[in-house]
């Protein structure tokens, strides 16, 4: 086949950021080579593809490396714009909303979550959890106002924000096990809970998300990066 | 919505900002480049206005662009929004290149400039000890060193990261130059060195060109204004975070 695209994804099975990219590639129907990385013994390929951060995920498209999961999502959306669904909406204002909430997920959910998980003191943990659960409430509010009864943050179909949050699902599902409080609580955040179940049921999610039990074992064993 | 290209006042367009904030400066420069008129409303971040709090209830930060009554928050989202809505503007090319890989590269380095460089130099200003200050200076210089390399790769021998004219990454990094002036004046720290033997000769030349652009001259306040603002912050809020300082 002429003009074949070569796609390689460097990731770790536990990484929610890599899960985001796997989900996106699957939704687009793109085939790629997945290369599991050992972060304790970083490969030449990882170091040369992401010399600045030396982190996963890295998407290598025809030899060119793209780093940072949200940058990769936008790249996939743009480079493969003619294939499969679009992640970002067409309307400029709606695009700003999607980008705003993706940034929120990274800064206001993921960071406090990590704090709650890694906390050395009860105080630090409590503060991290408080912010994490506040983020859950916030996202519940977004679903209530924005989705207008539709299935996903993106509307009828999975969009950028869904993928941004979706990659984190297994980690978030294990919040009670790992940090002491439930993130997806059907009583407190019913819409978010439903969203989580719906998203997890997608083929793209099934092949990209981790097994909860294995993840907990890994995390408790000191594996979180 | 139908929009006239040149001299378009964008209908009802307001920007809530802080003149010395890099996040605000970059947005104002894009608006300037697109020749879009807007009503600028300076915010007091110590006593936040109702308009700011209702427009950005999640973060209560600037900049916020309010277009036809609808708020747009996060400087990167605002820049892309303005670029997309006023794409047909005859006065300014797109701030992002057309090629997806080049766009990804610009976004990557912009994220780097905001997440690695900016917190480092803010840290210099708030350092509690000499040791901490030295650490932050080292981090700042390491980050600017990376960006010097990136400039070599991105610019292809041209004046700006984006080529012949200012683009997205130029704006994100260029909007921080004002504070490099403050660091030099108040702390004796030189981030981009334009002397012989400089480790950042490419950025030194880039910075000179950036500050000479029309939009930089229109939008960027002088160093003394930023110095005064920092002094005000130091008096009111020792140990503030980046958030409280500049957005």
């Amino acid at each position: 086949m002429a003009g074949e695209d070569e796609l390689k994804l460097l990731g770790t099975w536990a990484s929610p950021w890599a899960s985001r990219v796997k989900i996106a590639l699957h939704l687009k129907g793109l085939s790629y080579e997945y290369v599991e990385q050992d972060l304790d013994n970083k490969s030449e390929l990882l170091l040369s593809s992401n010399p600045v951060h030396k982190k996963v995920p890295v998407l290598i498209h025809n030899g060119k490396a793209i780093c940072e999961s949200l940058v990769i999502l936008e790249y996939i959306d743009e480079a493969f714009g003619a294939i499969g669904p679009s992640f970002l909406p067409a309307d400029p204002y709606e695009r700003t909303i999607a980008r705003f909430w993706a940034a929120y997920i990274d800064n206001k959910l993921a960071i406090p979550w990590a704090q709650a998980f890694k906390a050395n003191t009860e105080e630090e943990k409590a503060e991290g959890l408080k912010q994490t659960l506040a983020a859950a409430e916030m996202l519940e509010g977004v679903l209530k106002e924005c989705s207008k009864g539709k299935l996903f943050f993106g509307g009828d179909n999975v969009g950028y924000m869904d993928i941004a949050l979706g990659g984190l699902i297994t980690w978030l599902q294990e919040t009670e096990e790992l940090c002491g409080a439930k993130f997806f609580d059907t009583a407190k955040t019913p819409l978010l809970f439903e969203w989580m179940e719906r998203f997890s049921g997608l083929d793209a999610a099934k092949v990209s998300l981790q097994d909860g039990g294995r993840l907990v074992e890994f995390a408790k064993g000191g594996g979180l990066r | 919505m139908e929009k006239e290209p040149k001299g378009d006042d964008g209908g009802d367009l307001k920007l809530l900002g802080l003149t010395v904030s890099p996040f605000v400066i970059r947005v104002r420069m894009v608006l300037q480049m697109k020749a879009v008129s807007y009503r600028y409303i300076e915010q007091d971040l110590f006593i936040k206005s109702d308009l700011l709090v209702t427009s950005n209830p999640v973060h209560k930060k600037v900049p916020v662009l309010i277009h036809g009554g609808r708020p747009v928050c996060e400087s990167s989202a605002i820049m892309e929004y303005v670029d997309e809505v006023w794409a047909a503007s005859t006065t300014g090319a797109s701030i992002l290149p057309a090629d997806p890989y080049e766009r990804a590269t610009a976004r990557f380095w912009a994220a780097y400039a905001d997440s690695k460089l900016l917190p480092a130099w803010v840290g210099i200003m708030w350092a509690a000890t000499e040791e901490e200050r030295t650490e932050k200076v080292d981090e700042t210089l390491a980050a600017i060193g990376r960006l010097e390399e990136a400039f070599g790769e991105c610019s292809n021998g041209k004046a700006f990261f984006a080529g012949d004219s200012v683009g997205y990454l130029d704006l994100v990094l260029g909007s921080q130059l004002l504070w490099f002036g403050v660091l030099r004046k108040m702390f004796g720290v030189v981030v981009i060195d334009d002397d012989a033997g400089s480790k950042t000769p490419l950025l030194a030349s880039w910075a000179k060109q950036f500050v000479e652009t029309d939009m930089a001259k229109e939008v960027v306040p002088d160093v003394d204004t930023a110095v005064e603002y920092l002094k005000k912050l130091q008096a009111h809020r020792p140990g503030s975070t980046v958030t409280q300082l500049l957005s």
Side-chain angles (χ1 to χ4, degrees), chain A residues 13-70:
Chain A
W13 74 269
S15 165
W17 323 113
S19 292
R20 283 176 169 173
V21 179
K22 289 179 187 170
I23 291 166
L25 290 167
H26 191 99
L27 288 169
K28 283 282 193 184
L30 295 166
S31 32
Y32 63 98
E33 186 197 341
Y34 175 72
V35 189
E36 177 75 10
Q37 300 299 300
D38 178 355
L39 297 183
D40 290 322
N41 195 7
K42 293 180 182 181
S43 68
E44 268 312 304
L45 184 56
L46 177 60
L47 295 174
S48 59
S49 310
N50 191 355
V52 176
H53 300 298
K54 306 178 178 62
K55 283 180 178 173
V56 296
V58 181
L59 182 71
I60 307 175
H61 183 200
N62 295 335
K64 290 184 179 173
I66 301 108
C67 311
E68 296 294 294
S69 65
L70 293 181

Side-chain angles (χ1 to χ4, degrees), chain B residues 194-205:
Chain B
D194 53 8
D195 288 335
S198 158
K199 292 194 177 142
T200 54
L202 298 177
L203 285 181
S205 147

Side-chain angles (χ1 to χ4, degrees), chain A residues 135-147 153 189 191:
Chain A
E137 262 185 60
M138 182 70 78
L139 293 169
E140 176 78 5
V142 176
L143 275 171
K144 206 175 280 182
E145 283 169 33
C146 303
S147 70
F153 288 100
T189 57
L191 296 175

